[in-house]
Amino acid sequence: MPTVHPTASPTAAGVPAHPSVGAATNLLDAYRPGQRFLATPTRTLLAEGVHAEVPDDGRPLPERVRSAVARAAGSGHVRPLVMGSIPFAPDAPAALVVPRSVSEGPPLAADPLIALPPEPASGARWTVTPVPEPEVYGRGVEDAVRRMRAGEFDKVVLARSLELASDAPLDLPAMLQRLARRDPGAYNFALPTGAGRTLVGASPELLVSRRGERLVANPLAGSTPRSADLAEDVSRAAALLRSAKDLHEHAVVVDAMRRALAPYTSDLVVPERPTLIRTATMWHLSTTITATVARPDLTALELAAALHPTPAVCGTPTDIARRVIGETEQFDRGFFTGMVGWQDAAGDGEWVVTIRCAEAEEAGGPSGGGRLRLYAGAGIVADSRPEEETAETAAKFRTFLQAVGVAL
């Protein structure tokens, strides 16, 4: 296992050009519930313990994070960092800490051992309850489309959830293994969010990263399920690149992010047309935005806060979309469509859109079982069809359902 550095923060310079075999997967294998695990395309982090929590004291969150890191540095950490989760709702408390120690390795995708298959799911019996029922979700999409065609707003992202319950204890390390080994290039994470609760997932979407003056954002919007048949899979990818509905949905998100970043950056580069990225279950339209940060004191989280929530997870106009979400969805999103990530004392960091995830909770009591709440959303525009959006959310659920061995 790589050396634990209690005072070290992740830097690209700390990742060797030719990492040793097993340097990243050792960290994945070492994860245990209660620890904090985050793997990105630039590094793999495994954090132990809590040096300090980021307080919920009414100040803007980026300011609280900055001061928490500074206090940790003053108490003996040479280069501490903050890790954790930020919820969708702006007034809900975040789950961010300065860990006591952090082990760092190269990206999972750079480790040849990540190709080894994980152990199969245990075969635990799960009770699955959709919230809402697919038919109810479809009616919510219909209503949103009607309101958009009447000119009330331009886009809204509507989500639904699945509640899974089992009598068997949750095996979080095994779930994380299956997620990470299936999509090693994704942003894989397992982060405590409260007593007995852990946010686990494999997000494909970088909200924003900052390294020195360099900013990168990678909005995703417009999706289609993948196929096990190669010819059909390629056909679906090509169709997505031609889809007027999906291209419009993507353009709405990219344009909003361009406007949000403009006051904070220079040399902002936004490609004219999207490309494609793929996960194990989905194709997504993708645009990589790059820029130079306008001021050296702007942190990664300040930039992320300027972007969040993007139309890719909320809609546009934002205030109206939030209201429609509250009127339509039958559950609290919690940390779903929030952010997960890290930031160091220099203000460098990576913040990721919290999708393809579940919140795990140990049930406690003599039964010793556990519960999972899975989330999936779809961007609704005026041309959306309820049956297609319901199918898209079902395909997105598969990322996590496969990790627990549930077939729907």
Side-chain angles (χ1 to χ4, degrees):
M1 179 173 175
T3 304
V4 175
H5 300 288
T7 59
S9 69
T11 62
V15 178
H18 302 286
S20 60
V21 172
T25 51
N26 280 349
L27 295 177
L28 176 63
D29 294 342
Y31 165 76
R32 295 296 178 267
Q35 296 176 319
R36 288 167 174 81
F37 180 90
L38 176 63
T40 80
T42 68
R43 69 203 73 230
T44 301
L45 303 175
L46 179 64
E48 182 79 40
V50 176
H51 174 82
E53 295 184 353
V54 175
D56 184 17
D57 59 13
R59 291 177 296 161
L61 185 57
E63 181 181 337
R64 285 182 272 145
V65 166
R66 189 198 299 267
S67 63
V69 174
R71 284 197 307 272
S75 68
H77 279 260
V78 177
R79 295 174 63 196
L81 63 90
V82 160
M83 285 180 68
S85 311
I86 299 169
F88 173 70
D91 55 349
L96 296 171
V97 305
V98 178
R100 186 175 63 248
S101 62
V102 177
S103 298
E104 177 185 354
L108 285 176
D111 189 335
L113 295 184
I114 198 65
L116 295 176
E119 293 293 326
S122 63
R125 297 180 62 181
W126 294 92
T127 300
V128 181
T129 305
V131 180
E133 293 286 345
E135 297 79 9
V136 176
Y137 177 79
R139 290 197 293 271
V141 173
E142 282 183 341
D143 184 63
V145 167
R146 176 186 59 78
R147 294 169 68 175
M148 278 184 280
R149 290 177 177 173
E152 188 174 341
F153 54 94
D154 298 321
K155 176 185 175 179
V156 66
V157 177
L158 294 180
R160 61 191 185 102
S161 71
L162 296 177
E163 294 181 354
L164 277 62
S166 174
D167 290 336
L170 298 178
D171 190 346
L172 294 178
M175 292 180 197
L176 181 63
Q177 284 276 347
R178 287 190 284 272
L179 288 169
R181 291 182 183 276
R182 186 169 176 82
D183 272 319
Y187 297 85
N188 290 280
F189 54 88
L191 299 163
T193 55
R197 297 194 304 275
T198 303
L199 188 68
V200 187
S203 174
E205 186 168 3
L206 172 69
L207 180 61
V208 68
S209 69
R210 196 207 90 163
R211 183 184 173 200
E213 296 182 345
R214 175 76 168 174
L215 174 151
V216 178
N218 184 206
L220 308 181
S223 308
T224 194
R226 297 194 62 190
S227 172
D229 179 81
L230 178 59
E232 174 63 18
D233 195 44
V234 172
S235 177
R236 290 183 185 184
L240 181 60
L241 279 172
R242 297 191 301 267
S243 167
K245 177 260 185 187
D246 290 287
L247 288 169
H248 169 67
E249 179 186 343
H250 189 82
V252 167
V253 175
V254 172
D255 187 55
M257 294 186 70
R258 178 195 289 111
R259 294 195 307 270
L261 287 172
Y264 301 95
T265 61
S266 61
D267 304 320
L268 186 62
V269 177
V270 183
E272 291 186 6
R273 290 187 61 83
T275 57
L276 289 172
I277 70 164
R278 63 187 179 187
T279 69
T281 59
M282 301 294 296
W283 286 103
H284 298 283
L285 293 176
S286 166
T287 294
T288 299
I289 299 172
T290 59
T292 301
V293 178
R295 305 193 322 267
D297 61 327
L298 281 171
T299 67
L301 185 54
E302 286 175 286
L303 295 164
L307 293 170
H308 178 71
T310 74
V313 298
C314 182
T316 185
T318 302
D319 291 345
I320 298 175
R322 276 193 184 276
R323 187 174 73 245
V324 173
I325 289 169
E327 294 167 352
T328 307
E329 294 180 357
Q330 299 181 5
F331 56 89
D332 180 358
R333 287 192 178 188
F335 291 92
F336 171 64
T337 62
M339 297 180 268
V340 299
W342 66 271
Q343 181 173 297
D344 66 14
D348 290 345
E350 297 171 287
W351 294 99
V352 179
V353 182
T354 314
I355 53 177
R356 308 297 188 277
C357 66
E359 190 155 31
E361 183 175 7
E362 298 292 350
S367 65
R371 294 185 293 266
L372 294 171
R373 169 163 270 181
L374 282 59
Y375 303 90
I380 312 303
V381 293
D383 293 336
S384 293
R385 297 182 179 182
E387 63 277 10
E388 293 177 354
E389 307 302 340
T390 304
E392 179 178 320
T393 54
K396 290 174 177 176
F397 279 133
R398 286 206 298 269
T399 296
F400 213 95
L401 291 171
Q402 290 167 348
V404 296
V406 175
L408 292 181

